[in-house]
Amino acid sequence: MSQVIACYKWVADEADIRINADLSVDLSKAKGKISDYDKNVIEAAVQAAAALGGKAVGVTFGTADAKPSLKDALSRGLDEACYINAQEASQADGAATARALAAAIKKIADVGLIICAEGASDTYSRQTAPRIGALLDLPVVTSVSKMDINGNILTAARKLDDCMQTVKVELPAVVAVLPEINPAPIPGLKAVLAAGKKTVTELKAADLGADLTPRSTVSEVKGYVMNRKNIIFNEGDLAEQVKALAAALRKEGVL
Amino acid sequence: MAGIFIYSDKADITSEIIGFARLNGKLPVVLTLSEKDAQALRNAGADKIIVIKGQSEMIENYARAIAAVLKNEGAELFAVGATPRGRDLAARVAGYLDCAMVSDISSASYKDEQLICTRMLYGGAVQQTEKLSGLSVITVPAGKYEPVQGEASLQTLELQADTRVSVVETAPIVKEGVDLSKAEKVVCVGMALDKAEDLQIARDLANVIGAEVGCTRSIAEERHWLPAESYIGISGAVVKPKLYISMGVSGQIQHVYGIRDAGLIVAIDTNEKAPIFKAADYGIVGDLYQVVPMLTEALKK
């Protein structure tokens, strides 16, 4: 029996981010959510675990704020979850995140497949899967739009810029999946209720024996403001507004 | 030798990163996986082009070997073109080196021997500045730097490939849609469109102004009204047309990320509070079913 790991991240909902007048970023009103693309990761792990006859285990590296993610993740069909609860997660870069996840995965027995998203909806760095592969020295397949598991062989379709590439790899392996890999269903009430009864293993930074310091230094975080004209044509009726827009486009010379 | 080591599976980006290295007074050393790619880059201003010889056709499979080369040669930076293959290779090399990496930089410049990089977070709402020192990795999107000229020396290097992942088949992508990234004008439809047939409203406008039709992620991925290549956003196409007109697009920041570099942004939507209006140069608050046909008529003249 082989276990399938779904790496997921609890992120601030970007819709709730406020940019202050001085361009400082206010996350205090932002609700947490499972990174959009990680919902597809969880679903892919549930399907892969069924194919391998093993369990689907969610692994997340977050601060104390990430606790509500567990019930959400488990309601999406995972059998168990492993929660690395560490304040270091708030400062983590790609290097520290991969080290934390790799250290936690090492503690889980008989891992056949590790699934990540290409990137998280906050940072979208697209580093986690390749870095975990390197740290654990496992083969890596990224940009996966479709995968099949047959015995111990995983066949994956990779969507690259210039071609579709079909590759195969013997498990264990690490894959990064694209959101199009599955539709990630919304969990039903029964699944939500069952989630509360599932096993969660909580690890602290000290349990990992991994260096969680970032390798790059963040010197500034500020709101990005697009300089746009923000002109709304609202004089007169719709016909006049459209006329004004058409005139503006002609004047801009973009037609 | 010190210097900036460079790889991209797209020759244009390789040339641009060579330009970045020269701009900063650094020696550019290019890695390629084929003699043909090396010849194509012969006059692109690199100091040296190293043709990798080994047992795999996938550049990603040389990550561990490339990490060792970077270390042994005392490289100061590995700069990789931000394409699917390139991002994979870059992050794997960073993993083997356990070093810092900045993905998809918006800008990069040297100051006091540190590389200062900016990149976007939260789909473009936030810009983060990171400082890198010591051997680090960055990925660089297309179109950031000017290519230069100058002849490079050529050498070959045998490297050990990781052959655990192997290619079974390669098929050209059947592009059902168009390459929006090169479109001069884009008309984009969003979720306020009621049914697939109504795409004709967008097509009529597009025909009159010579634009391509794009859409938001939900239109392609949930409703499947347009092919996946047609959706614009952080995980889809990033466009830079001189004119972008949206109809019924709310303007979530993942979508706005994909239109940030558009010359002129026009928004048409019923919801005056929709974030698209904050990202737009010109807007009309109104029903696309009324406004767009009128606009099409007005632009015919």
Side-chain angles (χ1 to χ4, degrees):
Chain A
M1 219 166 74
S2 214
Q3 313 217 61
V4 178
I5 306 292
C7 295
Y8 77 85
K9 183 175 184 183
W10 187 248
V11 300
D13 191 333
E14 63 281 351
D16 303 331
I17 294 174
R18 297 280 170 272
I19 307 295
N20 299 322
D22 64 353
L23 294 185
S24 61
V25 179
D26 178 10
L27 289 175
S28 64
K29 303 273 186 323
K31 287 187 284 294
K33 63 170 184 179
I34 291 179
S35 170
D36 300 342
Y37 315 110
D38 290 344
K39 293 172 185 166
N40 306 98
V41 167
I42 292 171
E43 174 66 13
V46 170
Q47 291 179 14
L52 284 170
K55 283 183 183 165
V57 182
V59 178
T60 194
F61 172 43
T63 64
D65 293 341
K67 195 153 198 135
S69 76
L70 294 159
K71 195 167 178 193
D72 188 350
L74 288 166
S75 73
R76 294 173 187 274
L78 297 173
D79 299 295
E80 290 175 21
C82 171
Y83 168 33
I84 309 158
N85 179 354
Q87 194 46 43
E88 286 89 338
S90 66
Q91 307 293 328
D93 63 350
T97 302
R99 269 185 258 119
L101 292 169
I105 292 166
K106 263 198 221 166
K107 290 180 180 289
I108 299 169
D110 196 20
V111 171
L113 181 60
I114 300 162
I115 308 179
C116 302
E118 276 293 313
S121 48
D122 55 354
T123 55
Y124 214 56
S125 283
R126 295 181 263 208
Q127 297 182 20
T128 307
R131 277 189 185 266
I132 289 176
L135 291 172
L136 299 176
D137 202 22
L138 290 172
V140 178
V141 184
T142 57
S143 299
V144 173
S145 63
K146 191 170 173 290
M147 63 179 177
D148 290 302
I149 298 168
N150 200 339
N152 207 27
I153 302 293
L154 180 135
T155 307
R158 298 181 74 203
K159 193 174 181 182
L160 303 177
D161 268 1
D162 50 356
C163 67
M164 288 297 295
Q165 185 183 60
T166 308
V167 299
K168 66 172 186 202
V169 61
E170 194 177 328
L171 301 180
V174 184
V175 300
V177 298
L178 295 166
E180 66 204 63
I181 192 150
N182 59 46
I186 296 162
L189 185 61
K190 231 171 125 180
V192 174
L193 291 173
K197 300 189 185 75
K198 292 179 178 174
T199 309
V200 175
T201 309
E202 189 170 323
L203 298 173
K204 297 282 180 198
D207 302 326
L208 293 176
D211 171 12
L212 299 183
T213 51
R215 291 286 181 262
S216 74
T217 312
V218 174
S219 57
E220 189 180 44
V221 177
K222 65 172 189 186
Y224 178 81
V225 178
M226 263 212 281
N227 279 321
R228 294 287 174 182
K229 297 189 181 81
N230 299 128
I231 296 169
I232 305 283
F233 297 104
N234 52 12
E235 300 277 321
D237 62 11
L238 264 189
E240 285 167 64
Q241 294 171 15
V242 169
K243 218 170 123 188
L245 171 59
L249 294 181
R250 289 208 172 90
K251 205 172 154 202
E252 293 275 358
V254 290
L255 291 170
Chain B
M1 57 179 289
I4 296 180
F5 281 61
I6 299 163
Y7 174 81
S8 179
D9 56 353
K10 289 205 165 146
D12 287 352
I13 308 184
T14 308
S15 300
E16 289 161 11
I17 303 176
I18 295 169
F20 162 77
R22 290 292 185 195
L23 185 69
N24 288 283
K26 308 282 184 186
L27 275 188
V29 180
V30 171
L31 303 176
T32 75
L33 202 46
S34 83
E35 203 80 50
K36 197 171 134 243
D37 293 350
Q39 288 303 339
L41 290 162
R42 196 73 200 259
N43 272 306
D47 182 62
K48 185 161 77 175
I49 299 174
I50 299 175
V51 184
I52 296 169
K53 301 275 180 200
Q55 294 300 310
S56 176
E57 62 185 290
M58 296 171 73
I59 190 72
E60 304 92 312
N61 285 345
Y62 295 90
R64 184 164 42 178
I66 290 172
V69 170
L70 297 174
K71 227 173 178 172
N72 294 339
E73 299 286 327
E76 48 192 304
L77 182 70
F78 186 37
V80 183
T83 63
R85 282 189 194 92
R87 293 183 185 109
D88 182 333
L89 171 70
R92 257 197 265 185
V93 167
Y96 280 111
L97 295 169
D98 196 13
C99 71
M101 169 168 168
V102 182
S103 306
D104 287 67
I105 56 145
S106 306
S107 71
S109 57
Y110 280 92
K111 198 183 169 201
D112 305 330
E113 288 309 297
Q114 281 191 318
L115 184 62
I116 318 288
C117 299
T118 60
R119 71 180 304 266
M120 290 295 172
L121 304 184
Y122 295 104
V126 173
Q127 179 174 283
Q128 176 163 290
T129 308
E130 295 181 54
K131 290 182 182 173
L132 304 176
S133 26
L135 174 53
S136 307
V137 179
I138 60 174
T139 54
V140 183
K144 288 276 169 204
Y145 298 97
E146 289 299 319
V148 292
Q149 287 194 338
E151 204 183 331
S153 66
L154 270 188
Q155 81 174 62
T156 58
L157 182 65
E158 292 270 347
L159 287 182
Q160 183 78 41
D162 176 348
T163 53
R164 292 176 293 182
V165 177
S166 58
V167 177
V168 179
E169 194 185 5
T170 303
I173 289 188
V174 187
K175 295 241 182 203
E176 297 168 66
V178 284
D179 186 357
L180 286 177
S181 66
K182 296 197 174 71
E184 276 215 354
K185 293 170 201 154
V186 173
V187 170
C188 181
V189 296
M191 292 296 268
L193 201 71
D194 289 332
K195 45 189 191 300
E197 300 90 89
D198 298 341
L199 280 168
Q200 196 54 45
I201 298 173
R203 293 199 176 104
D204 289 343
L205 174 60
N207 285 340
V208 165
I209 61 171
E212 304 293 349
V213 175
C215 63
T216 59
R217 183 177 157 210
S218 309
I219 292 283
E221 300 268 289
E222 287 170 26
R223 295 188 183 166
H224 303 286
W225 291 351
L226 283 170
E229 290 86 21
S230 301
Y231 88 77
I232 297 167
I234 189 165
S235 57
V238 174
V239 301
K240 24 189 146 173
K242 56 181 190 183
L243 173 63
Y244 162 96
I245 302 178
S246 78
M247 49 176 80
V249 172
S250 65
Q252 289 183 6
I253 57 182
Q254 289 93 339
H255 178 73
V256 172
Y257 183 95
I259 59 170
R260 228 173 31 203
D261 294 330
L264 197 76
I265 295 178
V266 177
I268 297 160
D269 193 59
T270 46
N271 177 8
E272 62 178 320
K273 294 208 172 75
I276 192 75
F277 288 114
K278 285 205 179 105
D281 294 291
Y282 298 119
I284 290 180
V285 178
D287 185 351
L288 73 93
Y289 286 90
Q290 283 182 288
V291 177
V292 178
M294 286 162 82
L295 182 63
T296 306
E297 248 349 275
L299 295 178
K300 259 185 201 165
K301 291 165 198 158

